[in-house]
Amino acid sequence: MHVAHAVLGNGVEKLQLFERLKRHHIFRVAVVYAVVAWLLIQIAAITFPLLLLPEWLTRAVVALILIGFPVALLLAWAFYVSPEGVARTGTDAVTGEVHPRARHIALGIGVVGILIAALAGGVYWHFDRGRIASAQARHVTPAVKRVTDTPAVESSPMSPNPVRASKSIAVLPLVNLSGDPNDNYLGEGISEEVLNALTKLPGLKVIGRESSFSFRNSNVSAATIGRELDVRSLLSGTVQRTGDDLRITVELDDTKTGVQLWSQQYDRKMQGLFALEDNISGAVVKALAVTLGAAAGQPLVNVGTANPQAHDLYLRAIRLYWHTDEASLNQAIALFDQAIAEDPNYAAAWAGMAQAYGYLADAYRAPLDVLPAMRGAAEKAVALNDKLAMGHLQLGFILMNYEWDFAGAKRELERAVALNPGLAEAHAIFGLYRLRIDKDPARARDEFRIAEKLDPLNAWFPRWEGFAAIAQGDESGAMMLAQRVRRLDPAFSYDTDAVAYVDAAFGHWQACVDRYTLAHVPVSPSGPQLAICQAHVGDSAKARAVIAQLETAARSRYVDRSHVAAIHAALGEKDQAFAALEQAYHDRSVHMVSLWMSPWFEPLHGDPRFQALVARVSADSASP
């Protein structure tokens, strides 16, 4: 009988506890909190990457939400809404003290809330694709650590390392005061020629065009620019044009102390522009007490032409080819052609034309179609002026990527670095040679890091270093570089998004798909990366739809068939993949020289046809 009463009492007590929990809306609070928390996490996961917020911030939001869960349950228990208003739970009406039973229930609710939050947190972190942390845990090998832990950047063997130079400078584009935006090219062109002249000096670190020119028309202080670019001196000024008359004012400032080191105003004619640029460069050298080295006794700015009209056309053209869209590139080539018609011996114009053709190749035109004009322009530049680094750089780039003359490419690229040791592009292209041809990703990263130091806001250089990191198996390093690309240029997506490429390279296929579909990263119109990842997660219909789109597009414009081959490879369709690669080989696609290291073609590595194709590219390089 006593036992029956005890059992009945326990049942009633449990029922009362359940009713009290319902009255305090404990279950309702838990459900509402969970729904709201899930929405907040989804919003953070989608919007934080778009706003370029750091990865840890998303994790911090999740942690705060989980910590808040047991707190919300305790508050729901401690205070509830009664007909008389808000009341505290389990308090004595006379003493105001909390009853022991209420304390015990609150303790139990808190423990349960903590356990649920801990379980949810464990599930979240287990399935979280926050990539960098997981990459560090899974893929860093001792060999990779030796690469990533090395702080020093080795210099190129043929010249002193400009990154270690004791003096540094950024050259901003001269501000146009004429009121006509069509004259903006003039200030940018003058500044770029001064910048390129200063890169010849091994004792001076000169920040590259991409980084320096990103501060055009900004109101950012010299001190801020100095911190952003890690540079001590800043050259800036204005230009005003009236017909052939120019008034140029320049000043050199110390970004750390704010002291103006030098300033000057020049009134010149257009035909005296080269002499003016050389005067400005010489004044900078004198103000900074830079050692001239091999440049001693020679003008820093080469007088490329005695024809002011040819020079003006050249300055208009170089501003256009930095845009890299097809219309601008075609217009730039037309302007270079006009400059050469004015002065056929204008070496810089020939080099500029070669570079513009290089931007057209693969992106808009089959490399084979533009190769004769592209190589001819580069060879003409070198023949006219053997000391023009840009001519050697363009010729080396063409010989490496499209002619497959690797010995000649190395000779030209080494010459470009020796002539302009502070030219970021020279180190970067030589880094591509170290990676693609020498198959030496460690030395390639050395060159890329020099380029990144010289032009720290240029997204191409960490992108290329990321390729080298992937070749080393350094997933954590590759992902950090990809995130850096994303911060520098959120819209950067040549062929593929940098982060998605790293995900795919290490087999995180769903994370790659989510990058495009959930994070809404732009998909390159001709890029195969999303389709490759869709094929690997089993969505073959969408992958084949992309192939159909590319095949349709190929009827009216150039399509890099290596992209089509990569999707077929992901689908396991090897015969179709090799057929597409044969066409890419014929077109001289740039991807042919990096077949051995491209993650896209890993499904083909066991096929003898793949090794034979790689060998054919190498054999062609040895052909006369």
Side-chain angles (χ1 to χ4, degrees), residues 136 140-153 445-446 449 465 472 474 476-477 480:
Q136 291 172 334
V140 177
T141 64
V144 170
K145 283 184 180 178
R146 284 198 297 273
V147 173
T148 56
D149 291 346
T150 303
V153 178
R445 291 184 79 170
D446 289 343
R449 286 168 178 167
E465 190 190 345
Q472 290 178 309
D474 180 7
S476 63
M480 285 189 286

Side-chain angles (χ1 to χ4, degrees), residues 13 40 60 80 119 238 251 351 357 365 402 537 542 563 593:
E13 200 170 295
L40 290 175
Y80 68 96
L119 179 62
T238 61
E251 65 178 59
Y357 275 122
R365 304 273 293 278
Y402 304 121
V537 299
K542 288 183 179 178
H563 292 174
V593 296

Side-chain angles (χ1 to χ4, degrees), residues 148-165:
T148 56
D149 291 346
T150 303
V153 178
E154 293 301 322
S155 63
S156 175
M158 69 287 295
S159 64
N161 189 341
V163 176
R164 292 180 182 149

Side-chain angles (χ1 to χ4, degrees), residues 343-364:
D343 182 356
N345 296 319
Y346 194 178
W350 285 106
M353 179 179 284
Q355 187 167 5
Y357 275 122
Y359 287 148
L360 275 176
D362 264 320
Y364 306 107

Side-chain angles (χ1 to χ4, degrees), residues 549-562:
Q549 292 169 8
L550 293 175
E551 294 289 0
T552 300
R555 300 190 188 107
S556 58
R557 63 174 176 84
Y558 170 70
V559 170
D560 187 342
R561 291 309 179 109
S562 70

Side-chain angles (χ1 to χ4, degrees), residues 2 6 100 249 269 292 306 329 376 394 473-475 521 531 556 588 598 601 617:
H2 291 294
T249 302
K269 297 286 188 181
L292 289 172
L329 291 171
Q394 296 308 316
D474 180 7
E475 182 178 353
V521 170
S556 58
R588 295 286 172 136
S598 175
F601 303 107
V617 175

Side-chain angles (χ1 to χ4, degrees), residues 304-349:
T305 177
N307 187 321
Q309 179 63 18
H311 191 202
D312 186 73
L313 289 164
Y314 169 80
L315 294 179
R316 293 176 185 272
I318 60 173
R319 185 171 190 265
L320 279 169
Y321 74 41
W322 287 107
H323 294 183
T324 68
D325 62 279
E326 187 174 12
S328 295
L329 291 171
N330 286 329
Q331 190 178 353
I333 289 172
L335 288 170
F336 284 128
D337 206 30
Q338 293 175 43
I340 291 167
E342 290 283 341
D343 182 356
N345 296 319
Y346 194 178

